[in-house]
Amino acid sequence: MTRFPAARVPVCFAVLTLLVLGGVPGRPSGVAQVPTATRQAAGPAAQPAARLMSVREPVLATATATASAAHYAFISRAGHPAAPIARWNPCSGPIGYRVNLARAPRGALADVQGAVERISAATGLRFRYLGTTSVVPSSTDSGPAYPAGTSIVVAWARPGQSRMLPEARSGAARPLAMGGGSWVTGRVDARGRVWGQFVEGAVVVDATQYPEPGFGRAQRGTRGRMLMHELGHVVGLGHVGDPAQVMYPVDSGAAVWGAGDRTGLRVLGAASGCLYAPR
C-alpha cells in the first residue's frame, strides 16, 4: 500500500514490506512497511524532476535460504534497474541521528543504537547520536524540519500521528514501522562513476505494538532485527528473495546480517569512496 504525503518538493516513493511472523499473546502482529522518498534528477547537473512516481517491490512469501552473497538489492533501483545506486557520503563526517522516545517502550534507545552500530560495522559509515528530539517525521505537510545537524530521525508514534504511519482500516494489516530516506542524483566518485547521495532518513515505529526487544531470536522476530531491516533501507538496501538475509521481507530469523546483506552494505559504505558534486 502506497501513501503519498503532501510535499513541497515532488518526490518518488518506493514501498517495501516486511512481514512479521507469529505473534505475542495479547499483542497484535504487525507488518513493517518501508517507504523511501527520493528526489530524482534527469542528469548530473539537472534539478529534481517535477513529477510524482511510485514503484513497489513484491512481498515474497516463500523462498529457499541459500545464504548467497549475491542476494542483495538497492532501493534506488526498485523499478528502475539502471538507475544510479544511492548511498550516504562517507566523507561528509558522521551522520547525525536523533530518537524520539516520547512513546517508546523501555529499551528502545539501546536497540536503535545497537542497530546503528551493526550498520556502521558493515558499511564503515560513521554515525553520531545527537540525543532525543520531539520530531515525528512527516507529521506535517512540510516535514517537520529536523534539528540542525540531524540527518536521520527514529520515532515511536501512534498510527495517524505521522503520514508515514496512517491509521489502519478495519481488518487491514497494521504497519509495525515505516521508514525511508531521500536522495539527490548526479553525484560522482573519484573514478567518475555516477551515484545518488542520501540527504535525509527516517523511521517511524508504531508505539501501540510490541515486538520482542533486543536482538535475540523470537518467533515473531525482534525489535532489534526490525530496526536493522528498516535502517538497511535508510542506507540504501532493498528487498531480496533469500530468507537468510535480514533484508528478506519476512522477519522471522536471527538479527545477523546475511552474506548478501553484507555484500550490499559494503557497496553502500566507505569502501566505495567519497561523493562529489560534478564540476
Side-chain angles (χ1 to χ4, degrees), residues 220-246:
R220 184 178 178 235
T222 62
R223 186 168 63 209
R225 189 181 191 277
M226 178 270 292
L227 288 165
M228 289 171 64
H229 180 104
E230 303 288 1
L231 289 168
H233 290 313
V234 170
V235 298
L237 286 181
H239 281 162
V240 297
D242 181 1
Q245 315 305 321
V246 169

Side-chain angles (χ1 to χ4, degrees), residues 129-170:
Y129 175 59
L130 299 177
T132 59
T133 179
S134 61
V135 167
V136 176
S138 295
S139 59
T140 66
D141 287 354
S142 59
Y146 287 2
T150 303
S151 298
I152 299 171
V153 170
V154 179
W156 271 257
R158 297 188 311 269
Q161 192 177 352
S162 167
R163 294 174 185 271
M164 294 175 64
L165 195 68
E167 294 187 58
R169 298 188 302 269
S170 178

Side-chain angles (χ1 to χ4, degrees), residues 62-130:
T62 60
T64 301
T66 62
S68 172
H71 288 177
Y72 60 93
F74 303 112
I75 200 168
S76 55
R77 289 184 167 177
H80 305 277
I85 297 168
R87 60 186 177 91
W88 293 86
N89 188 353
C91 302
S92 293
I95 302 165
Y97 74 97
R98 293 179 183 270
V99 184
N100 184 336
L101 296 168
R103 299 185 181 277
R106 182 178 300 176
L109 178 58
D111 285 349
V112 172
Q113 292 176 320
V116 169
E117 288 171 1
R118 286 163 170 80
I119 289 278
S120 181
T123 60
L125 296 173
R126 294 176 296 151
F127 296 84
R128 177 179 295 159
Y129 175 59
L130 299 177

